[in-house]
Each structure stands twice: as structure tokens, then as C-alpha cells.
Amino acid sequence: DTAVSQTPKYLVTQMGNDKSIKCEQNLGHDTMYWYKQDSKKFLKIMFSYNNKELIINETVPNRFSPKSPDKAHLNLHINSLELGDSAVYFCASSQHRTGQAYGYTFGSGTRLTVV
Amino acid sequence: SQQGEEDPQALSIQEGENATMNCSYKTSINNLQWYRQNSGRGLVHLILIRSNEREKHSGRLRVTLDTSKKSSSLLITASRAADTASYFCATASSGGSYIPTFGRGTSLIVHP
């Protein structure tokens, strides 16, 4: 049973397109996150939701819009894709927003390539 | 937001040797965590140490935390080829929004 699952695993698309990445967790966690990992492996937090409420919104272009229909899902929609958006996007969840109890559980990532 | 930084960026050792990686951070933390990432995969949680703890063990892993120096170290003893991966530290800051931030990782290669 996959704890944090994100789809698709790979996404190749042209500049200017709009795309979505979906994430679901079956752990009953309260908090979910989106991270972007660049080619140098630097992981940067993008968004965090706690019980469907946005609690972290780092400096991310407003072309990126997270949506959390319920606390088990956090989707990421990206408008007008640019070449610089190419990266691996990771969804994660934690029982508490500090990750205090058991840390963060990550999905396997979505490799986005914009051509 | 604060950011953990791992050192060294890359480490290459022989199987059986110990591997030590360090992490430094800038502001007060609630806890610090270490993760492993195999090539092309997601991050896997290894160990969490709270700000009031100084050392923690899990199998061949030993983590230390020095809050006065704002640093942590991860020691992998008797390394194996399967330990080849990138290792990241993550800090959850105390107070405020508890933004979980990661460093750039240490790339460990263990040669058989």
C-alpha cells in the first residue's frame, strides 16, 4: 500500500501548456507539502496545507496553484509552463506540521520536463 | 526561512568504512531529521532528533545534535554498497510556521 502517491510519475509537455500533478496520502496525516527539487538536488518548499488550510506559501510564481479538496489530497496546478519549471516535484505529508512524531513521508516524485 | 546545509557535498568511501556527514543550520529548531534519497526515488525518513536530545541511534546510524553550534552529524558505520545515496538533513524551526527546510544533500558513494 503506497502511503503517499503522486501522479503522473513523468510529465513531458510544451511551454505554455497547463498541467496538474495529483497527490494523495492514506496515512491520515494532517499536513501535506509540495517540494521542488532542481537539477542540483536542492529541495525547496513550495506550499504546505494543514487540514485543507494553506499555511506555507513560499515565493513561488502565481502560475503555481495548490488545491486541497480534503486533507488526504493536495494537487498542484501549473499554468503557462516555462522551461525553468523543469524539475522533480515531490509531495510529502506529516502527522503534525513540525514533522515531530515521525518526520515527513514523501511520494516518489513527478519528473516534469518542459520542452 | 532557515536552511540546513550538508557537508561535504560528496563523499566516496570503501565498503566497511564509516561515513560521516554534517549539517549546519541557522536558527532555533524544534527537531532535525535525516533522510536518504536513492537515485530517481523519493526521500526516505531515517531518523529524527529533537532539540532537547543530543544523540540518537538506529541500527548502523548515529545522529548527534549540538544546538549551541547549530549543527548535527550523521554517522553510518560499517558502510555497504547499498548505502550509496544522497543524504539530506531537514530542520523544523521552533515557533512561527515550522517551515521544514532541506539542505542540498551529501552524495555518498560506497565502493564494493
Side-chain angles (χ1 to χ4, degrees):
Chain A
D1 290 340
T2 304
V4 178
S5 60
Q6 50 183 114
T7 55
K9 190 170 175 64
Y10 300 97
L11 185 54
V12 180
T13 187
Q14 290 187 328
M15 281 174 54
N17 284 351
D18 303 338
K19 290 294 178 185
S20 292
I21 307 172
K22 296 186 176 181
C23 180
E24 175 182 5
Q25 53 97 2
N26 61 5
L27 298 165
H29 285 171
D30 287 338
T31 311
M32 295 185 72
Y33 311 83
W34 276 110
Y35 281 87
K36 178 181 179 181
Q37 187 174 45
D38 63 22
S39 58
K40 295 184 178 178
K41 294 192 175 180
F42 178 42
L43 264 169
K44 184 174 180 180
I45 182 95
M46 298 175 69
F47 302 102
S48 176
Y49 270 73
N50 188 61
N51 276 323
K52 300 195 300 174
E53 179 185 351
L54 180 66
I55 56 171
I56 296 172
N57 183 358
E58 291 295 287
T59 307
V60 176
N62 57 15
R63 298 182 293 103
F64 291 79
S65 53
K67 284 188 173 50
S68 181
D70 54 62
K71 77 171 193 176
H73 295 83
L74 180 62
N75 303 322
L76 183 65
H77 189 75
I78 315 169
N79 290 327
S80 303
L81 278 154
E82 300 177 356
L83 293 176
D85 297 332
S86 295
V88 181
Y89 292 84
F90 286 99
C91 177
S93 71
S94 64
Q95 189 173 46
H96 183 274
R97 60 183 182 163
T98 67
Q100 178 75 354
Y102 303 108
Y104 308 100
T105 303
F106 280 79
S108 56
T110 296
R111 183 173 293 277
L112 171 66
T113 303
V114 182
V115 298
Chain B
S1 59
Q2 69 174 28
Q3 177 179 349
E5 291 189 10
E6 293 89 349
D7 170 63
Q9 286 191 346
L11 185 58
S12 180
I13 60 174
Q14 294 296 127
E15 216 169 22
E17 293 179 342
N18 295 340
T20 300
M21 288 158 267
N22 302 298
C23 171
S24 60
Y25 56 93
K26 294 175 183 160
T27 60
S28 296
I29 60 170
N30 180 289
N31 64 73
L32 184 144
Q33 302 161 40
W34 285 91
Y35 289 79
R36 183 186 73 234
Q37 183 181 32
N38 290 89
S39 181
R41 309 292 287 273
L43 279 77
V44 174
H45 181 256
L46 295 176
I47 199 164
L48 180 151
I49 186 164
R50 293 182 172 79
S51 58
N52 61 353
E53 297 176 313
R54 292 296 167 257
E55 188 171 313
K56 212 160 182 182
H57 296 255
S58 177
R60 294 183 296 112
L61 304 180
R62 173 177 168 252
V63 168
T64 61
L65 179 64
D66 187 336
T67 53
S68 66
K69 294 182 180 178
K70 292 186 171 57
S71 68
S72 173
S73 67
L74 170 67
L75 169 66
I76 303 174
T77 60
S79 63
R80 306 167 182 167
D83 294 329
T84 295
S86 291
Y87 291 82
F88 294 84
C89 69
T91 53
S93 57
S94 56
S97 61
Y98 296 99
I99 297 174
T101 54
F102 287 76
R104 294 178 182 270
T106 291
S107 177
L108 172 66
I109 296 175
V110 181
H111 299 280

